[in-house]
Each structure stands twice: as structure tokens, then as C-alpha cells.
Amino acid sequence: MKKKLLGCKAVFQALTSLALVFSIGVQAADLAEIEKRGALKIATEDDYAPFNFITDGKPDGFHKDVLAELKAYTSKFKLEQSILPWTGLLASVSAGQYDVAITGALVTDDRLKVFDFVAPVASAQHYYVKRAGDDSIKSVADLNGKTMGVQAGSALLARLPELESMLAKTGGKLGEVVEYQSYPEAYADLANGRLDYVINAVISVNDLVKARPGVFEKGQAVSGNGFVAWPVPKNNPELVKFLNGFVKHLKETGKLKALQIKWFGESFDSLPDEAITSAEQFHQLAGLK
């Protein structure tokens, strides 16, 4: 596998990872302290459609609607939302500056060293996206040796061995992997022919193809199950339990399904109901060996 790095995203990700490691011992607020304080401190971002983005200067997206539901769900405390850049968001939460990140975070082994994740609210299974009308790619087997784009430092990189295994079963292999500072850059290179395909989570792929149907086309899954869930710093079991109860409420009332269809174009009816708190549990739920 040949690998090429574009941009400085890897540096930011490395610094973020260090910040996460050094902040493991910092104790964030559990539910009793949050209730005493009277506010749940929530970190979100503003540039990850359709989860979180800005419209006319105001927060918009799936999590804007989720926060409105959360506000109605509890009267024990108010919600204090802070909008942060992604590069420092998880480090700020792990350091105890915020109680939870309500954003489109993917569950990963590394993140589970620092966070417990509330029951997932969406799938994060990985798919490839290609140029519309590119008949040289009709299935995963056709990715053999082709040039792929992915975001540097992203959770998707850790699961590329799954694609390698899929290709190996058909006698193929992974080609050059080009890492980008952001997905818009990768998509631009895909559109102009510098890349053959890009790997991203299913919701982002759906959003891209919906916005530019004549330019891009969704391919097949290149990983097992993946999950979008909200990270809470470890050792805050009552807060995780409370937020899990909220997700259960959204499911039982049909509101989660309605919001998934509204923002993602499909519902995810087989998501785990439990919080994800260990790599072993995550591997079992995702079908990883």
C-alpha cells in the first residue's frame, strides 16, 4: 500500500491524540454535579453537514433538532451549547471543559480509551464514492490497485484493513492512499480525475450524492458496521445512563427515526441500544475480529 499525505491535518490529529492521552485523568462532571450546577455543557461543531452546520448564522442540522428534543426531555438543568472547531473539540471534552460532545463522532478503539459512547444515533458504515458514470468501478473488486482519497487522521483509516481483506478475496490489493486535510479537497480531486474513489461514512456519502447527483455516485460498503455516537469522558456513568435514556426515548417515540429520515435520507433500525464503553464490545457490535 503506497501512502501519500496532503495538508497538515495529520499534525492537528496527532496533537489532538496527545491531548486526549494526557487528559485521561481529568474528571468531568457526572449527573449529580450537572444537576447541582444547573447546566449541561455541550460541545458541538459547525461544519459537518448534515449533523451540525450553520444556516444564516444559526446552528442547523440533525443535532440542532436533537438538542431541541433534549431541552424538552429534561427540566433538571439547562443546556449550554458551545460551537468549537473539530480539531480541538474532543480534546476539550476529554479535558472536562464540556460534559459531552453532541456531534457526528465515530466510535473508535482509540477514542474508547478516553470516552464512553452513548447508544448510537446513526450508522457510520464506510462506503466508497466514485465519479458518476465511471463504468470502470462497478463493485468493490474493481477498486483493485486504484487510487483512493480519505481524510488524514480520520476514523476511517483504522478500518482500511477490512477493505484490504475484501480485495484480497478477489485477488486484488489496495492501491495508493492519498490523505487530505478535508473531504471537500478529496472530492474536488475525485471530480477532476486525480482520484478513482473516496472512502467516507454512509451519511456523508448520501449527503454528497444528494447535493451533486450528476458528479458523484455512491458505491458499495467497504467495512462492517460503524456507529455515530456521543462521547462522554470516562467515569461519568450516571450521565451516560441519562443520555442513553434520552436516546431510548427518541426511539420509542419514533422521533429518532423521523429525524434520521429527514436529515440522512434513511433510517437505521438495527442500531445497538446500549452504550459502548470498551473496544471489545465495539468489535463485537461492529463484527470486527
Side-chain angles (χ1 to χ4, degrees), residues 220-231:
Q220 297 176 331
V222 294
S223 79
N225 292 331
F227 308 109
V228 174
W230 308 325

Side-chain angles (χ1 to χ4, degrees), residues 4 8 17 25 70 82 85 107 113 120 158 165 207 212 223-224 242 245 249 252 258 262 264 278 288:
K4 181 180 179 183
C8 58
S17 297
L70 180 57
S82 296
V107 179
K113 296 174 183 176
S165 178
D207 197 55
R212 303 177 69 183
S223 79
F242 168 80
H249 161 77
E252 291 177 343
K262 174 183 177 180
F264 308 148
S278 72
L288 295 169

Side-chain angles (χ1 to χ4, degrees), residues 258-280:
L259 290 178
Q260 289 170 343
I261 293 172
K262 174 183 177 180
W263 291 107
F264 308 148
E266 62 180 295
S267 63
F268 305 106
D269 301 326
S270 301
L271 295 172
D273 292 323
E274 70 264 34
I276 302 175
T277 60
S278 72
E280 292 77 15

Side-chain angles (χ1 to χ4, degrees), residues 124-244:
Q125 189 170 24
H126 305 168
Y127 279 72
Y128 72 81
V129 58
K130 65 174 187 173
R131 284 184 299 281
D134 181 1
D135 293 332
S136 72
I137 300 176
K138 296 181 180 179
S139 69
V140 171
D142 296 326
L143 304 179
N144 174 36
K146 294 188 181 294
T147 303
M148 178 246 289
V150 67
Q151 188 174 37
S154 69
L156 291 91
L157 281 167
R159 296 186 66 172
L160 285 185
E162 292 176 73
L163 175 56
E164 286 186 290
S165 178
M166 291 180 187
L167 289 169
K169 290 177 181 178
T170 61
K173 63 180 181 179
L174 204 62
E176 181 181 12
V177 177
V178 185
E179 298 180 28
Y180 288 81
Q181 183 174 351
S182 68
Y183 269 107
E185 295 173 84
Y187 294 143
D189 275 1
L190 176 59
N192 64 32
R194 292 194 181 105
L195 297 173
D196 296 308
Y197 67 104
V198 170
I199 297 295
N200 205 345
V202 59
I203 290 170
S204 297
V205 170
N206 288 349
D207 197 55
L208 173 72
V209 172
K210 179 181 178 181
R212 303 177 69 183
V215 181
F216 301 111
E217 185 177 330
K218 182 181 179 181
Q220 297 176 331
V222 294
S223 79
N225 292 331
F227 308 109
V228 174
W230 308 325
V232 174
K234 289 221 179 260
N235 302 315
N236 293 283
E238 294 305 313
L239 176 56
V240 172
K241 182 178 178 181
F242 168 80
L243 291 170
N244 235 41

Side-chain angles (χ1 to χ4, degrees), residues 18-38:
L18 283 173
L20 292 179
V21 170
F22 287 124
S23 61
I24 290 176
V26 178
Q27 179 68 47
D30 205 358
L31 189 61
E33 184 178 338
I34 291 166
E35 292 177 351
K36 182 178 179 181
R37 174 206 302 158

